């Protein structure tokens, strides 16, 4: 979910038009508007980087390419 | 690009590629892979991923639904508290899970004060709003949920608040499955978000001690397929290691902050799992320093063995990956999401409930 605003240990979030809030005290990282968070039962547990999703796709493509070479 | 889409990994081209890879990894002997996460089951069932598995490979949901594995001993205690006039707050899925006599929903209908919350923090907020009432948060869930409960326990909650703690730990449960007679498992598709908290290293002992290949997978269809390819490769090569196929959310060490919260608020304890029994050091109890916030300590609660298995229900086999939902004669007949018989049909992450929502056939 995308962070819209941060107020102390609480962030306001948005995903697919739905708003929610999450506590940040289980995260141990600073968060700013525009960041993406992984949230479970109202608590953020990880900051996500959209770039990392691209990394996963690269990993997949390498695996698929290696297979095609065989 | 819409913001949410950046995290959707589900394009068809790559999916087909991975399916091809999977087929090429067709094993010589039948292989049983267990996952322990309702979200994995939802991805697998919703996208029909079982159809892409090579011949001889079965993927089953084990004890991955936190609501389903909650023992009736704990559930009966929550019911008893509500009947005594304590305000009980818990996650929505817990409401209709059958206890020995009643569900939490039953006692609510009878007039008890039972509320669903989305987070432990909501239960604390309710306690602050109603200072003249005792409020208990009935805490269930795995390592994804316990950091939140820990955070509120450590955050100086009001005097009228306490926690009935039934949090559980995933790695010891998988270890217990491995030791069970009649439960042959060849590999673990480890849960992504639990692993975000505990880290990949938390499975090292399972991989070594039980010679169990472990691959951590994410929740997009491509994540799951990719993790299964990595897992089948391990099996083919005769390795038993921990591999991380979800590095964008999981690190080797996990989340130091969440682990610290858990350590400060809880101590590991033996825990009862519905359908499985007591597993050593597989749960969390509130630390003695915070006993005043522990509902089990604050109230005199019964610890009676309850009716763990509803007559006719095969959840006990489903939860240890010995059966799939459609093996149960009640599945889709007497037992549906509207008329659930066992816990696996109640919890949104329960295997029976997921299968029913997605068509209810073997091979979903
Ligand atoms: S279908 Fe219903 S009765 Fe059968 S195992 Fe699942 S929850 Fe239990």
């Amino acid at each position: 979910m995308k962070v819209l605003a941060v107020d102390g240990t609480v962030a306001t979030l948005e995903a697919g038009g739905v708003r929610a809030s999450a506590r940040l005290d289980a995260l141990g990282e600073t968060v700013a508007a525009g960041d993406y968070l992984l949230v479970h039962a109202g608590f953020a547990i990880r900051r996500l980087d959209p770039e990392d999703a691209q990394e996963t796709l690269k990993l997949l493509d390498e695996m698929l390419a290696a297979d095609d070479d065989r | 690009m819409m913001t949410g889409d950046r995290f959707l990994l589900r394009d068809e081209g790559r999916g087909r590629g991975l399916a091809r890879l999977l087929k090429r990894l067709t094993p010589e002997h039948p292989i049983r892979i267990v996952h322990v996460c309702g979200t994995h089951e939802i991805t697998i069932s919703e996208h029909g991923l079982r159809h892409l598995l090579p011949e001889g490979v079965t993927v089953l949901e084990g004890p991955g639904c936190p609501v389903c594995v909650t023992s009736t001993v704990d559930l009966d205690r929550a019911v008893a508290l509500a009947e005594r006039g304590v305000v009980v707050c818990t996650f929505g899925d817990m409401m209709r899970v059958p206890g020995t006599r009643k569900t939490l929903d039953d006692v609510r209908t009878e007039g008890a004060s039972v509320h669903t919350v989305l987070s432990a923090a909501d239960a604390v907020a309710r306690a602050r709003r109603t200072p003249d009432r005792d409020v208990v948060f009935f805490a269930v869930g795995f390592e994804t949920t316990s950091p939140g409960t820990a955070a509120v326990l450590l955050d100086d909650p009001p005097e009228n608040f306490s926690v009935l703690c039934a949090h559980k730990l995933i790695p010891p449960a998988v270890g217990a499955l491995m030791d069970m007679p009649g439960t042959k498992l060849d590999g673990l598709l480890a849960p992504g978000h639990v692993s975000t908290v505990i880290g990949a290293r938390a499975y090292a002992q399972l991989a070594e001690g039980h010679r169990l290949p472990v691959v951590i997978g994410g929740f997009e269809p491509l994540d799951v397929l990719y993790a299964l390819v990595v897992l089948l490769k391990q099996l083919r090569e005769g390795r038993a290691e921990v591999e991380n196929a979800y590095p964008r959310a999981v690190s080797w060490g996990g989340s130091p902050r969440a682990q610290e919260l858990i350590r400060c608020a809880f101590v590991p304890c033996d825990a009862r799992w519905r359908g499985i029994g007591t597993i050593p050091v597989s749960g969390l109890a509130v630390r003695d320093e915070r006993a005043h916030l522990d509902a089990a300590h604050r109230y005199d609660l019964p610890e009676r063995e309850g009716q763990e298995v509803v007559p006719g229900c095969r959840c006990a086999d489903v939860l240890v990956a010995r059966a799939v939902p459609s093996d149960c004669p009640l599945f889709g007949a007497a037992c549906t999401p509207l008329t659930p018989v066992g816990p696996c049909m109640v919890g949104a992450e329960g295997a029976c409930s997921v299968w029913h929502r997605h068509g209810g056939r073997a091979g979903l």
Side-chain angles (χ1 to χ4, degrees):
Chain A
M1 302 190 88
K2 190 172 179 171
V3 177
L4 298 177
V6 177
D7 179 9
T9 56
V10 179
T12 308
L13 309 163
E14 190 265 349
V18 179
R19 286 205 181 191
S21 67
R23 290 257 301 252
L24 301 173
D25 32 343
L27 191 61
E29 276 187 84
T30 45
V31 166
D35 285 344
Y36 291 88
L37 296 177
L38 189 61
V39 177
H40 264 267
F43 285 79
I45 56 168
R46 168 117 181 172
R47 203 156 56 84
L48 294 172
D49 188 341
E51 292 299 312
D52 290 346
Q54 296 310 310
E55 281 292 305
T56 305
L57 290 178
K58 236 170 71 196
L59 221 74
L60 282 185
D61 288 341
E62 278 166 23
M63 179 186 244
L64 292 170
D67 188 65
D68 285 342
D69 292 345
R70 269 200 280 168
Chain B
M1 191 192 276
M2 269 177 45
T3 51
D5 291 350
R6 294 199 225 171
F7 295 100
L8 294 183
L9 271 49
R10 41 181 76 173
D11 70 279
E12 241 188 276
R14 290 189 179 94
R16 260 194 245 114
L18 288 171
R20 228 174 21 244
L21 279 185
L22 277 175
K23 287 273 171 326
R24 238 175 263 161
L25 289 164
T26 302
E28 281 160 27
H29 310 288
I31 296 267
R32 288 160 53 87
I33 293 169
V34 71
H35 71 76
V36 283
C37 180
T39 316
H40 272 149
E41 187 55 45
I42 291 169
T43 302
I44 291 168
S45 295
E46 187 173 294
H47 297 276
L49 301 187
R50 284 197 175 88
H51 288 296
L52 303 178
L53 295 174
E55 181 107 11
V57 177
T58 319
V59 178
L60 300 120
E61 176 168 356
C65 161
V67 165
C68 313
V69 298
T70 299
S71 159
T72 43
V73 177
D74 295 315
L75 182 53
D76 290 347
R77 288 170 140 190
V79 166
L81 279 172
E83 285 183 322
R84 262 188 238 174
V86 171
V87 179
V88 173
C89 298
T90 194
F91 298 122
D93 271 8
M94 211 60 225
M95 298 300 283
R96 294 202 305 151
V97 176
T100 301
R101 288 181 303 120
K102 287 173 183 175
T103 65
L104 282 168
D105 210 25
D106 292 337
V107 283
R108 175 167 64 174
T109 312
E110 290 164 13
S113 196
V114 183
H115 300 275
T116 62
V117 288
L118 296 174
S119 110
D122 293 349
V124 172
R126 179 170 286 277
R128 288 196 205 283
R129 281 200 307 274
T130 55
D132 52 329
R133 298 285 303 270
D134 275 14
V135 175
V136 167
F137 175 55
F138 182 25
V140 301
F142 301 124
E143 292 93 329
T144 39
T145 327
S146 41
T149 309
V152 304
L153 283 172
L154 298 169
D155 192 26
D156 216 5
E159 260 173 36
N160 60 329
F161 175 82
S162 61
V163 169
L164 179 60
C165 189
H167 281 306
K168 296 195 166 42
L169 306 171
I170 284 289
V174 177
L177 284 200
M178 296 297 293
D179 290 335
M180 249 179 213
T183 314
K184 183 190 163 289
L185 297 174
D186 304 289
L188 171 68
L189 169 60
H193 296 159
V194 163
S195 309
T196 299
V197 170
I198 64 179
R201 68 168 171 211
Y203 305 97
Q205 219 194 332
L206 271 178
E208 256 175 58
H210 290 274
R211 294 234 13 103
L212 180 72
V214 177
V215 177
I216 299 163
F219 300 104
E220 287 297 315
L222 291 183
D223 284 323
V224 172
L225 291 175
Y226 174 54
L228 289 172
V229 169
V230 175
L231 192 50
L232 289 183
K233 277 196 173 162
Q234 265 205 51
L235 281 161
R236 168 155 301 189
E237 291 161 15
R239 290 177 288 128
E241 298 163 6
V242 181
E243 288 185 271
N244 182 2
Y246 193 33
R248 68 181 189 279
V250 176
S251 62
W252 178 250
S255 162
R257 173 74 183 145
Q259 290 168 21
E260 183 194 302
L261 286 175
I262 293 175
R263 240 190 337 268
C264 291
F266 302 117
V267 276
C269 65
D270 296 354
R272 294 183 207 79
W273 294 61
R274 191 163 190 154
I276 302 178
T278 298
I279 303 176
V281 219
S282 67
L284 295 173
V286 179
R287 274 193 177 279
D288 281 347
E289 302 95 271
R290 294 180 199 278
H292 59 292
L293 298 173
D294 183 355
H297 187 266
R298 185 180 292 194
Y299 306 96
D300 174 32
L301 291 174
E303 199 166 322
R304 250 173 274 117
E305 286 299 324
Q307 174 191 278
E308 295 282 5
V309 181
V310 184
C313 168
R314 292 202 58 193
C315 280
D317 290 325
V318 172
L319 290 172
V320 298
R322 244 183 248 155
V324 295
S326 58
D327 292 337
C328 173
L330 303 186
F331 178 75
C335 185
T336 70
L338 286 178
T339 55
V341 173
C344 302
M345 191 59 94
V346 180
E349 304 193 347
C352 298
S353 150
V354 177
W355 278 45
H356 198 275
R357 271 179 281 152
H358 293 286
R361 298 176 307 278
L364 250 188

